[in-house]
Amino acid sequence: MTASSRIPAMDVLRGCAVLGILWMNITAFALPQNAYFNPAVAGPPSAADIAVWATSLLLVDGKMRGLFALLFGASMLLLIDREEMAGRDGRRAQMIRSGWLFVLGCAHFLLLWWGDILRVYAPVGLFALLFVGLEPFALVKRALLFFLLQFLLVAAFIASLYAWGHAAAAPGAESGLREGYAAFMTALSDPASPGTQAEIATYRSGFPTIVQHKLADVPGEWLWGFLFTAFETMGFMLLGMAMLKGGFLTGRWDAEQYRRTARHCFLIGLPPMAALALWVAWSGFAPLPAYGVALAWSLPFRIPLTVGWAALILWLLARHRSHWLIDRLAAAGRLALSNYLATSLVMTALFYGWGLGLFARVPPAALPLFVLAGWTLMLAWSKPYAARFAMGPAEWLWRSLVNGRPQKIRKSD
C-alpha cells in the first residue's frame, strides 16, 4: 500500500495493536512459556505480580492479537481491491503475499522467538480468501461460527484434562497415568518442575542451543499453536473484513457511535473477565483454573473486548486528531511488521543467553518497565523514519520478495 492510499484510522489502530502486543508478549520473552498462562510458574506471585497478571488478562491478553487479526483481514480486502483496480489478480497477489509472510514467520521463529504469529496469519489468510466477496452481515455470521469452533476445540481440550485428573485420582489408577498427570500439572504451576528448569537452562544458553531446541520442536509446536489459535484468528479476520466494509475501521462513524460501541463492549466483556480472574486467584493459581481461563473460558469475552478496544481508540482519534501522539501511533502502525520483528530482536537480546541473559531473572511485576522502554523506542524511531522512507525495512523485504525485485524505499523529494 502506498503512502497516499493509507487509511489513517487503520494506521493508528495498527500502531496501538503493535504496542499492546508487546505488553502481553513480554511475559513470553522473559519467563518460561507456561508463565504466560500462570504467573506461579515464575515463582510465588507477589501482590504486584498478581496486579500485572490481572491487568494483562482483563485488558490485553488476546485483545491486541485480535485487533491485529481484524486489521489483517481488512488489509487483505484493500490489497485485493488495489490489485484488481490495476488489472491484476488480487487473490493471486494475496496468495503470494501469504506464502512469503509464512517464510518470514518461520525465520522469525527459528532465529528470534518461539511466539511468532505470522506462521498462523499466513495460512489462515489463505483460507480467508474464500469469504472476501461476502456482505458484512454474512461475514459476521461466519466469524461467529469460527469463534464457536475455536471455543469448542479448546473447551474439549480443557475438559480432557479434567477427565485425565479424575482418572488419575481414581482408586487403582496405574502409576504411569498418575505420574503423567502430576508431571503435566506441575509444569503448569511449579517453577521447580524439570521441564521449566530445562527451559530456563536452554534460553540462558547460546544461540546455537536455542535454535537447535526450536528445530526439534517445530512440527508439534506449530501444530498445537495453530490448532489453539487458527479458528479464533479466522473469526477476527472475517470480522475485520465486515468492519472495513461497514466503515467502522476507516473512521467513518461519528464519535458518539464509537463511544457507545466501546461502552457496550466493555460492559459485556469486563465483568465476566474480572470474575474469571478472581476465580483463578481464589484457587491459589491452581494449574487447571489458570490454564483453562487463559486458553478457553476467556475466549467468548475477548471478542467484545477486542471490538471495544478498536471502538475506544477510534473514539479517541475522532476527538483528538491533532494530538502529538496520534502521528506517532500512526507511524508505528505504518511500520508494524518492522516494529513487531524489531521488538523480538531487542527483547531476546535482553533476555536470552546470547545477549544479557536476563531470562527468568526478572519478576513479572518489573516487566512493564521493559514494555514502557519498548513503547518509547517504537514511538521515537517510527515517525522520523516514516517521514523519509515509504516503508519499514521488514515491509520492504516482504514486498520485494512478493514482487520479485527490490522495491523503492525512499520517498520522493
Side-chain angles (χ1 to χ4, degrees):
M1 185 182 296
T2 63
S4 60
S5 64
R6 301 203 68 96
I7 298 174
M10 289 180 62
D11 283 336
V12 172
L13 285 170
R14 198 174 286 110
C16 292
V18 77
L19 265 65
I21 281 174
L22 175 57
W23 177 282
M24 203 61 221
N25 286 353
I26 194 65
T27 301
F29 285 126
L31 299 171
Q33 185 171 351
N34 283 327
Y36 189 94
F37 307 109
N38 187 350
V41 175
S46 66
D49 294 336
I50 294 172
V52 170
W53 164 81
T55 300
S56 300
L57 179 67
L58 266 66
L59 297 176
V60 186
D61 183 24
K63 292 82 173 175
M64 297 300 109
R65 187 175 67 245
L67 187 54
F68 233 27
L70 286 176
L71 295 163
F72 191 92
S75 296
M76 285 177 55
L77 291 186
L78 295 173
L79 171 76
I80 291 170
D81 287 347
R82 188 178 73 247
E83 290 294 305
E84 292 184 348
M85 288 180 66
R88 296 185 289 266
D89 187 338
R91 284 174 171 78
R92 181 178 180 276
Q94 179 59 36
M95 292 171 67
I96 297 172
R97 185 175 181 248
S98 293
W100 282 114
L101 187 66
F102 187 79
V103 172
L104 292 175
C106 290
H108 179 220
F109 166 78
L110 288 173
L111 300 178
L112 290 177
W113 185 49
W114 61 264
D116 169 76
I117 60 172
L118 305 179
R119 294 171 304 142
V120 175
Y121 280 29
V124 171
L126 286 176
F127 189 58
L129 288 172
L130 298 173
F131 306 96
V132 295
L134 297 179
E135 293 300 315
F137 186 64
L139 286 166
V140 171
K141 288 196 297 184
R142 283 157 180 80
L144 294 175
L145 175 61
F146 281 112
F147 289 137
L148 176 61
L149 290 173
Q150 185 72 69
F151 179 76
L152 293 175
L153 176 64
V154 292
F157 175 71
I158 297 299
S160 74
L161 296 182
Y162 278 99
W164 187 12
H166 181 75
E174 295 181 0
S175 60
L177 182 67
R178 292 197 304 270
E179 292 169 3
Y181 179 77
F184 190 88
M185 291 298 113
T186 298
L188 293 177
S189 59
D190 186 356
S193 70
T196 297
Q197 289 302 307
E199 185 180 355
I200 291 172
T202 295
Y203 285 102
R204 287 180 182 174
S205 63
F207 186 80
T209 302
I210 295 173
V211 172
Q212 184 179 10
H213 169 75
K214 287 191 284 189
L215 276 171
D217 285 349
V218 164
E221 184 277 339
W222 183 84
L223 179 61
W224 281 105
F226 186 81
L227 286 175
F228 286 159
T229 57
F231 290 135
E232 181 181 359
T233 301
M234 172 65 77
F236 279 121
M237 285 187 184
L238 299 187
L239 201 56
M241 293 180 186
M243 293 165 76
L244 177 72
K245 292 184 177 185
F248 180 99
L249 291 179
T250 57
R252 283 168 30 199
W253 290 18
D254 64 51
E256 181 59 22
Q257 286 178 295
Y258 286 122
R259 188 191 69 80
R260 288 198 304 267
T261 301
R263 182 188 63 192
H264 292 157
C265 287
F266 281 107
L267 285 174
I268 291 169
L270 277 182
M273 285 295 296
L276 290 173
L278 287 172
W279 175 42
V280 174
W282 187 263
S283 76
F285 295 94
L288 274 179
Y291 198 46
V293 166
L295 198 63
W297 315 135
S298 64
L299 193 155
F301 313 112
R302 295 201 295 263
I303 301 163
L305 287 174
T306 298
V307 176
W309 268 117
L312 177 62
I313 293 165
L314 291 173
W315 173 65
L316 292 172
L317 174 62
R319 290 174 57 88
H320 304 286
R321 291 186 186 275
S322 60
H323 195 280
W324 64 268
L325 185 57
I326 296 299
D327 285 344
R328 292 195 173 271
L329 286 169
R334 289 196 291 274
L335 309 178
L337 181 60
S338 294
N339 276 314
Y340 173 67
L341 298 178
T343 294
S344 293
L345 177 61
V346 171
M347 294 302 164
T348 52
L350 289 172
F351 292 106
Y352 286 6
W354 55 264
L356 294 183
L358 297 177
F359 190 81
R361 301 184 195 275
V362 179
L367 294 179
L369 298 176
F370 292 85
V371 175
L372 291 175
W375 288 355
T376 301
L377 289 172
M378 278 191 269
L379 294 174
W381 88 280
S382 295
K383 185 177 179 181
Y385 181 95
R388 296 184 59 191
F389 297 94
M391 62 191 80
E395 287 81 1
W396 173 85
L397 175 61
W398 185 20
R399 295 179 194 185
S400 296
L401 291 169
V402 167
N403 289 281
R405 62 183 185 278
Q407 298 295 289
K408 180 181 177 182
I409 189 169
R410 282 188 175 274
K411 289 184 175 180
S412 301
D413 293 332

